[in-house]
Amino acid sequence: MAGGPFYSALKWQIEAGADEAIGETPVDRFAEAPPSPPPPKVRPPAPPRQAAPSAPRAAPSSPPAAPLPAADPASQDAKAIAAGAKTLEDIRAALEAFDGCPLKRTATNLVYTDGNPAARIVLVGEAPGAEEDRRGLPFVGPAGRLLDRMLAAIGLDRSSVLITNTLFWRPPGNRNPTPAEAAACLPFVERTIEIVDPKVLVMVGGTAAKTLLARPEGIMKLRGQWFEYSTPAMARPVPAMAIFHPAFLLRSPAQKRPTWRDLIEIRKHLEDSI
Ligand code: URA
């Protein structure tokens, strides 16, 4: 039977989110020299604010969120590569070859899309978790199972939707992505939406909503409203709505009631746009 101090230390690390080996050789941190004292704090000059040139516009209008670092070389590469993709398979192949997102180095699998590339509805979630990373498919863990039930409640399933995420590789221990990691994935998310050209875009959770709408409000304010999502390459904007993330609904079941209303509204919009 498992036990002893080594097992307890390992279990503690896994519970704290350190569930991935990121190097081949173990490092004994206790044997290392103690860290040198931190340098005196100097406030760096404020960087110039720069609007992302391909940032999608969203209505109704209010001050946009701080833009992702568009000048980052990896995100510039990503933009050029994504712009050349004509199909979702082109994007998948480009992501398999892309080395501009450091998350790829710690992830097990690329997690790109699941569902129907000709769907009338695209759902964009946040990031793959442990189960998604193992299987290479989005939303296949506990939150994904609830998302399937939410879709079923309005007559949809994975054959009638396309599901993707704002990140295509799992952040180690499910930590928040850095702005550079998010910026390296964003052009591929945008290009995916452009190629599918859906009738409705659903942003699943606050991260997807903030990333795609480039707005400062949180999910509590953004959910349940219609926005217009567009990129410079799109012929017309797509109606877009944010909903609560199913992982949040698992923790806060009381929020299922407003989510049900949002899902009905999405269903109605799809029916009206036939
Ligand atoms: N949560 C997400 O946002 N996406 C996934 O793919 C899984 C969990």
Side-chain angles (χ1 to χ4, degrees), residues 111 124-129 132 137-141 143-144 163-165 204 245-247:
V111 178
V124 181
E126 185 177 334
E132 288 78 16
L137 284 170
F139 280 105
V140 288
I163 304 180
T164 189
N165 278 311
V204 183
H245 196 287

Side-chain angles (χ1 to χ4, degrees), residues 5 15 27 58 75 83 129 169 181 186 236 239 241 245-246:
E15 282 166 4
V27 179
S75 82
W169 294 276
E181 289 161 352
L186 184 59
R236 56 190 145 54
M241 183 177 283
H245 196 287

Side-chain angles (χ1 to χ4, degrees), residues 5-69:
F6 176 73
Y7 174 78
S8 308
L10 197 58
K11 189 161 174 283
W12 179 82
Q13 287 194 33
I14 289 169
E15 282 166 4
D19 56 355
E20 300 286 332
I22 57 170
E24 293 296 322
T25 344
V27 179
D28 182 357
R29 302 279 176 211
F30 293 106
E32 290 178 346
S36 45
K41 283 200 180 118
V42 181
R43 189 192 287 259
R49 281 182 75 85
Q50 183 184 26
S54 70
R57 287 178 298 280
S61 63
S62 74
L68 293 167

